[in-house]
Amino acid sequence: MLSIVVGLVLLMALAYLGWSIIWVAPLAAGVVALMSGLDVFDTYTGTYMDGLVGFVKSWFPIFLLGAIFGKLMEETGAAKAVAQKVTQLIGKKRAILGVLIASALLTYGGVSLFVVVFAVYPIALALFREANITRKLLVPTFALGAFTFTMTSMPGTPQIQNLIPMDFYNTTPTSGPVIGIVTTLIMAVGGYFWLAFREKKLSAKGDQFTEPDKSGTNEKREEEKVPNWFLSLVPLIVVVVLLNIVKLEPIYALILGVLSIMLINIKDYKKFVFSVNDGAKGSVMAILNTSAAVGFGAVIAVVPAFDNITEWLLNVSDNPLVAQSLAVQIMAVITGSASGGMGIALGTLGDTFYNLSQTTGISPDVFHRMAAVASGASILPNNGALLTLIAVTGLTHKETYKDVFVVAFIIPTIAVIVGIIMGGIGLV
């Protein structure tokens, strides 16, 4: 048990310091193996690499196509066009709401949360400047709009966190729609009211907008011409409709989404090669980061003491949804990755939870939805997406994390609790 604790602390500490999980994860796995009396070399070449490669084999096509789709949306200006229209409709006085909805719409349409940040940030900066809102609220606003409900709880979202449980529970992207809608409302409405409250409080204290370093670059990007917003919205609709109404496999839905962007923006064909190449490169880094964490989890799973953790989780409550949600949330917190944490938890306990769904009468759809929701209730300072967001905005954990903690950890955890209660009484 000590080896697991030391390995997890090492992984979290080094990730928090900004060291790449691609090499930190095997290092931490080696420490766990050494302290547990396992052969370090065999554990790395066998157990660790089996876990890493297994995740890549299962999910690389989705990561690849999703990254290409997002990059094309970014480079053609389509993502920016949609974001600008949303903020225009909402109004500049409601800057936080406009950025929130723009981020949510793009994420739900299948655009990578990293692409959303880069595409919407220049617009968000201009809106916050005009409304004189402190930049400290930029990070929690993005975190709420792109890292929470559209990633995990909204039925039908094409984000990877909503697709992973399908393999374990034989479910669909729209599984658990009632729980999904309720948990979405808790996160979206609760998070927005918190940010609105914080905006008033900080403004009253005289905390107002300040210019970021190198703001000229962002202002220049703001002035760039963008395509028609309605046509730019079409690829997002294509992906969501094909995935949830036509019931196509995610791979085919994303392929057709990519083709629709290319057809609509055919005049920008010279950007296609760069976008596809750059998206492909980005997908490799994204899946390696996630699969490295999954490989670490595979090593944890073979340590004898892990059986004690599993037994504790399975006996912590008569409701197996509690065990699953805790397992997913804890591993997502530790690895700093919602999809990575879910991959570890379901990779080791997914069969057990599926069997429990057959014997307890709780629908696999509920297990699917709660696994996804729990994975997102995990954004601590070591979270990879949060670290990227902080780097893009030029802010710090000290300036922003208090509000991120509320909107991306506390409120989503409340949503998890509500979802568990609903699932336990048969509301799907």
Side-chain angles (χ1 to χ4, degrees):
M1 187 66 74
L2 180 62
S3 70
I4 293 176
V5 173
V6 171
L8 294 178
V9 170
L10 180 64
L11 179 71
M12 184 177 285
L14 293 179
Y16 179 80
L17 291 172
W19 295 8
S20 171
I21 199 168
I22 293 175
W23 72 268
V24 166
L27 173 66
V31 171
V32 172
L34 184 65
M35 293 181 66
S36 301
L38 302 174
D39 184 284
V40 176
F41 183 77
D42 288 346
T43 301
Y44 174 71
T45 57
T47 306
Y48 180 86
M49 290 306 299
D50 286 345
L52 184 150
V53 172
F55 189 84
V56 173
K57 180 181 178 181
S58 297
W59 295 106
F60 181 64
I62 302 297
F63 273 78
L64 175 66
L65 292 167
I68 290 172
F69 178 81
K71 195 63 183 176
L72 283 166
M73 286 289 293
E74 179 185 12
E75 290 299 322
T76 60
K80 193 170 182 179
V82 172
Q84 279 185 342
K85 188 61 181 179
V86 169
T87 53
Q88 208 177 73
L89 293 172
I90 297 298
K92 293 179 179 178
K93 291 184 178 179
R94 297 185 180 87
I96 290 177
L97 183 61
V99 174
L100 176 61
I101 292 176
S103 302
L105 180 62
L106 290 171
T107 314
Y108 187 74
V111 179
S112 161
L113 54 88
F114 297 105
V115 171
V116 170
V117 171
F118 285 107
V120 180
Y121 176 62
I123 304 161
L125 198 65
L127 287 170
F128 272 52
R129 180 186 292 112
E130 183 152 343
N132 200 22
I133 299 172
T134 174
R135 286 191 303 117
K136 294 175 184 177
L137 294 178
L138 272 174
V139 172
T141 301
F142 273 117
L144 177 60
F147 299 178
T148 59
F149 57 94
T150 49
M151 189 175 74
T152 62
S153 62
M154 285 186 74
T157 175
Q159 295 296 330
I160 191 72
Q161 291 78 9
N162 187 42
L163 302 181
I164 289 176
M166 291 167 55
D167 275 4
F168 296 94
Y169 297 118
N170 299 317
T171 46
T172 68
T174 54
S175 291
V178 177
I179 293 176
I181 291 169
V182 171
T183 51
T184 292
L185 290 173
I186 290 171
M187 286 186 264
V189 177
Y192 173 67
F193 278 127
W194 172 263
L195 292 175
F197 160 74
R198 288 286 291 160
E199 178 194 346
K200 290 180 180 178
K201 188 172 181 180
L202 290 170
S203 295
K205 289 168 60 178
D207 202 341
Q208 300 173 335
F209 183 87
T210 55
E211 290 294 339
D213 293 335
K214 301 178 182 179
S215 59
T217 301
N218 296 312
E219 288 171 0
K220 183 180 178 182
R221 289 187 64 183
E222 177 70 19
E223 295 169 1
E224 290 175 357
K225 186 178 179 181
V226 295
N228 179 274
W229 72 269
F230 183 76
L231 289 177
S232 298
L233 193 61
V234 170
L236 306 181
I237 296 171
V238 166
V239 172
V240 173
V241 169
L242 291 178
L243 186 63
N244 298 291
I245 297 177
V246 182
K247 304 293 184 184
L248 279 185
E249 290 291 328
I251 290 176
Y252 300 126
L254 285 169
I255 287 174
L256 291 172
V258 167
L259 291 175
S260 68
I261 298 175
M262 290 179 167
L263 287 173
I264 290 169
N265 297 279
I266 193 66
K267 65 181 185 303
D268 292 324
Y269 69 92
K270 291 182 180 178
K271 296 179 179 179
F272 293 168
V273 173
F274 168 78
S275 298
V276 172
N277 288 347
D278 213 45
K281 291 176 188 174
S283 72
V284 172
M285 289 304 298
I287 198 166
L288 272 181
N289 279 322
T290 303
S291 56
V294 173
F296 173 79
V299 173
I300 294 289
V302 301
V303 174
F306 187 75
D307 291 339
N308 297 331
I309 298 174
T310 303
E311 185 179 353
W312 173 78
L313 283 170
L314 295 176
N315 291 290
V316 71
S317 171
D318 292 334
N319 186 342
L321 294 174
V322 174
Q324 182 201 239
S325 299
L326 272 174
V328 172
Q329 186 179 27
I330 289 169
M331 294 313 298
V333 163
I334 289 166
T335 60
S337 166
S339 55
M342 189 194 301
I344 293 170
L346 295 186
T348 54
L349 296 171
D351 289 341
T352 301
F353 291 133
Y354 180 75
N355 291 333
L356 284 171
S357 76
Q358 304 302 300
T359 58
T360 60
I362 299 176
S363 169
D365 291 320
V366 177
F367 277 90
H368 171 131
R369 184 55 53 209
M370 290 315 305
V373 175
S375 74
S378 61
I379 300 185
L380 291 187
N382 65 311
N383 181 270
L386 177 60
L387 291 170
T388 299
L389 179 52
I390 283 175
V392 170
T393 57
L395 296 163
T396 65
H397 279 96
K398 185 177 179 181
E399 293 174 303
T400 63
Y401 187 68
K402 175 183 176 181
D403 295 309
V404 171
F405 184 68
V406 173
V407 302
F409 189 90
I410 295 295
I411 294 176
T413 299
I414 293 170
V416 170
I417 295 169
V418 172
I420 289 171
I421 294 170
M422 292 176 66
I425 61 176
L427 287 174
V428 181

